[in-house]
Amino acid sequence: MRIIDFFDKGAALYPENIAFIDATRHYNYREACQQTHSISSALHAKGFGKGTHVGILAPNSSIAFLVLLGVYRTSAIWLPINPRNPTAVNADFLNRFDGELLLYHSAYAAQAKEIIAQAPSIRLAVCIDESSEFGASLPEWMRDADYKFPAVDHSMEDILSIFPTGGTTGPSKGVIVNHRNIATSFANFYAHFNYYDNTRHLVVAPMTHSAGVLGCLHFARGGTNVIMATVDPGGILRAIQEHAITHLFVPPTLLYMMLVHPDVALYDYSSLQHFLIGSAPTSFEKLKQAVEVFGPVMSEAYGQSEVPSIITAKAPRDYLDEKGAVIESRLRSIGRPAVFNQVAIMSDGDEVAGNGEAGEIVVRGDLVTPGYYKNPSASREMRKGGWHYTGDIGVMDEDGFVTIVDRKKDMIITGGFNVFPNEIEQLLCTHSAVQDCAVIGIPDEKWGEKVLGVVQLKPKAQCQEAELIDMVRQRLGSVKTPKNIEFRRDLPRSPNGKVLKTELRKTYSKGQSRGFG
């Protein structure tokens, strides 16, 4: 079963059910299915068939979902593009991962034009929602297509998508995701969470993030995806009641915003079955508060791009006792290994650790992706003895519940997004006043972690915090921009001169006063 097969099953069994709703219109499954066939026919007719690498640049919307399904039906390879990224980052991603076709929404026409200028691999740009002076028009292509093309042979090993993942020492790598990986991910979700008839899923996070694939879980039983174009905590609360939402996914940052919203107590949340949290560490106190506000529906799935979305899972039944009371140790965990995975805690000596012993979380099975696109050496680094090494340090208890206690690498997860310090450090060191620097993540109630830059200036040099922050924001975008810059006369170092980030984390996690230290 491929994603498009799940969708076609829903269209066959529930043709009049609403598939997609956004602020402008809705599509039932019959209408949506026709649209995806038309889109796929148009792509085939213009020479963009199976194996074409296709980037989609669009806001959350029904048309974006239909285009994505048209790409899946074509057996093309989806390159997810986050509109929040700087244009240069998106262009580099498309170019290095062999993007040939860019499908863009008119809201991002200016960015699409810049991407084309910077990504020579792109052969054509096509506007998906209207005629455009820049590039071709998908609606016009669809009118001209004859909707006849030969059946496409497929294999579960065919590539579905290439997902970008930040790198600590260079440009992002591309994770190869095939149909077998996604089918296994779906099987895990179906085993742990409820996906019955008439589910209603609220699409809040960017479709290029987890929200797009999670929305596809609802197809086989005719569920509805209610799509929000912008992130609005109050709007999410209102939508849960208005649309009787059963499922939604948000990163912890957004959950925290919802909990402190002045209208949080005004709405009825009784329709919720699974309020899924993921993509970043969640404050335990906030999670307990969420159970009180939204009910015992809080759920978690732990995964990463290399092992899509669900290495472990935690549904409400996993943390409630027979009387319905919360078992705090289980609520604090990331759940138990999902049923179609093998998961273990591995010691530094590559031996399976005992219960209660800390080690690296490893996983094997059909959920594990083939590796990185055109980067076999990086793929080998993540795999040993048949296991995929996640880079996260965890502990498993006697009941199989896993708790993350640390991360092996320096990656920062802020607001649900992965940020790698090296890229920011390299940029900060280009400033004429900066001698050396370190970028770390420190705990933050709102963001999970916030990015902090610690800077050593050159002797007698002067520089303002705002100047450095603005430089990073202009070059790398707001997500990677430090919330604060701390200036120090020197940085703590090991005997061989390496900056000791562990010492910096200890210092600033304790809330040291600002200023030279």
Side-chain angles (χ1 to χ4, degrees):
M1 291 284 287
R2 303 162 300 160
I3 286 180
I4 197 63
D5 298 324
F6 286 98
F7 175 77
D8 285 346
K9 178 175 285 190
L13 297 176
Y14 308 88
E16 301 307 316
N17 279 23
I18 301 301
F20 305 108
I21 301 174
D22 64 16
T24 60
R25 66 161 295 174
H26 65 264
Y27 293 85
N28 63 29
Y29 273 84
R30 175 178 45 79
E31 295 167 331
C33 190
Q34 292 171 348
Q35 286 290 307
T36 65
H37 274 282
S38 297
I39 292 166
S40 183
S41 297
L43 294 177
H44 273 279
K46 298 298 183 179
F48 297 100
K50 179 179 180 179
T52 302
H53 291 212
V54 181
I56 302 176
L57 178 66
N60 284 5
S61 58
S62 293
I63 185 60
F65 232 129
L66 293 172
V67 168
L68 178 58
L69 288 170
V71 169
Y72 288 156
R73 190 176 295 286
T74 308
S75 288
I77 297 169
W78 176 39
L79 303 180
I81 308 171
N82 190 340
R84 299 179 182 179
N85 287 339
T87 300
V89 171
N90 286 334
D92 175 71
F93 167 60
L94 288 171
N95 197 51
R96 285 193 299 110
F97 301 137
D98 299 329
E100 300 172 64
L101 175 66
L102 175 62
L103 301 175
Y104 72 92
H105 191 280
S106 57
Y108 296 111
Q111 186 178 146
K113 191 172 184 178
E114 293 181 23
I115 287 174
I116 290 296
Q118 298 177 36
S121 70
I122 296 294
R123 293 192 280 136
L124 187 65
V126 179
C127 186
I128 65 175
D129 60 317
E130 62 181 36
S131 297
S132 173
E133 295 180 0
F134 168 61
S137 163
L138 185 59
E140 291 174 359
W141 276 16
M142 292 165 63
R143 286 194 295 269
D144 295 339
D146 61 8
Y147 313 119
K148 295 178 182 178
F149 55 88
V152 178
D153 293 333
H154 66 269
S155 161
M156 293 302 286
E157 314 310 320
D158 288 342
I159 300 175
L160 173 81
S161 179
I162 300 174
F163 274 86
T165 179
T168 57
T169 58
S172 297
K173 297 184 288 290
V175 178
I176 300 169
V177 179
N178 64 30
H179 294 289
R180 190 176 304 282
N181 303 141
I182 292 298
T184 306
S185 179
F186 277 29
N188 278 325
F189 272 99
Y190 290 146
H192 289 270
F193 307 110
N194 299 333
Y195 292 93
Y196 305 136
D197 292 12
N198 302 315
T199 56
R200 298 176 73 84
H201 173 236
L202 189 63
V203 181
V204 177
M207 287 174 54
T208 53
H209 204 243
S210 300
V213 175
L214 290 177
C216 299
L217 286 160
H218 298 267
F219 292 152
R221 289 294 177 260
T224 299
N225 280 283
V226 180
I227 304 169
M228 297 187 68
T230 58
V231 175
D232 172 16
I236 296 169
L237 298 172
R238 184 168 56 252
I240 293 172
Q241 175 178 297
E242 180 180 343
H243 294 282
I245 295 300
T246 60
H247 295 67
L248 79 156
F249 160 78
V250 300
T253 304
L254 190 49
L255 170 65
Y256 304 159
M257 294 178 183
M258 294 165 65
L259 290 173
V260 299
H261 195 278
D263 296 338
V264 69
L266 299 182
Y267 299 104
D268 178 6
Y269 308 119
S270 60
S271 63
L272 285 172
Q273 296 176 24
H274 287 286
F275 189 145
L276 191 64
I277 305 297
S279 300
T282 306
S283 162
F284 177 59
E285 292 303 317
K286 298 290 186 183
L287 197 55
K288 288 199 298 183
Q289 184 183 348
V291 172
E292 295 173 0
V293 172
F294 298 106
V297 296
M298 305 309 296
S299 308
E300 284 190 276
Y302 158 68
Q304 53 188 207
S305 298
E306 294 88 346
V307 196
S309 299
I310 185 165
I311 298 171
T312 64
K314 180 177 66 185
R317 62 179 176 269
D318 293 319
Y319 60 80
L320 299 176
D321 65 17
E322 64 275 5
K323 296 180 180 180
V326 172
I327 304 171
E328 291 199 353
S329 63
R330 293 185 174 183
L331 183 64
R332 190 187 299 272
S333 77
I334 55 172
R336 286 186 281 191
V339 296
F340 291 95
N341 305 332
Q342 294 182 32
V343 178
I345 307 298
M346 199 71 72
S347 70
D348 287 341
D350 294 326
E351 299 288 339
V352 175
N355 293 335
E357 296 179 6
E360 187 166 354
I361 301 170
V362 297
V363 57
R364 64 185 176 191
D366 286 343
L367 188 67
V368 178
T369 57
Y372 300 112
Y373 186 67
K374 292 185 175 180
N375 196 340
S377 62
S379 301
R380 288 191 295 270
E381 289 176 8
M382 302 292 288
R383 311 282 157 81
K384 284 189 290 184
W387 294 97
H388 169 80
Y389 282 65
T390 65
D392 290 319
I393 305 301
V395 173
M396 184 182 293
D397 69 16
E398 63 275 8
D399 296 318
F401 286 88
V402 177
T403 301
I404 293 179
V405 295
D406 200 356
R407 282 190 301 279
K408 201 168 187 178
K409 298 182 180 179
D410 290 328
M411 184 180 73
I412 301 165
I413 304 178
T414 179
F417 291 93
N418 295 347
V419 174
F420 291 84
N422 182 70
E423 183 181 16
I424 306 169
E425 292 163 355
Q426 294 291 334
L427 177 57
L428 288 172
C429 285
T430 66
H431 192 283
S432 60
V434 174
Q435 178 168 311
D436 203 354
C437 68
V439 172
I440 59 173
I442 60 175
D444 183 80
E445 279 295 301
K446 180 178 181 181
W447 301 106
E449 287 184 303
K450 67 178 180 180
V451 181
L452 173 69
V454 186
V455 172
Q456 177 186 0
L457 295 178
K458 296 176 181 178
K460 299 183 180 180
Q462 294 185 348
C463 182
Q464 299 298 313
E465 177 185 36
E467 183 180 355
L468 294 177
I469 289 175
D470 185 63
M471 180 181 71
V472 178
R473 182 179 292 111
Q474 291 295 324
R475 293 281 296 278
L476 300 180
S478 59
V479 171
K480 298 178 182 180
T481 300
K483 295 292 186 289
N484 300 105
I485 299 288
E486 296 282 350
F487 293 100
R488 295 175 63 103
R489 293 187 177 90
D490 199 1
L491 300 173
R493 300 175 187 275
S494 68
N496 61 8
K498 183 178 179 180
V499 175
L500 297 174
K501 289 188 177 182
T502 52
E503 295 302 315
L504 290 174
R505 291 192 190 98
K506 290 178 184 177
T507 298
Y508 292 105
S509 294
K510 294 177 182 177
Q512 175 181 292
S513 60
R514 294 171 60 79
F516 276 99

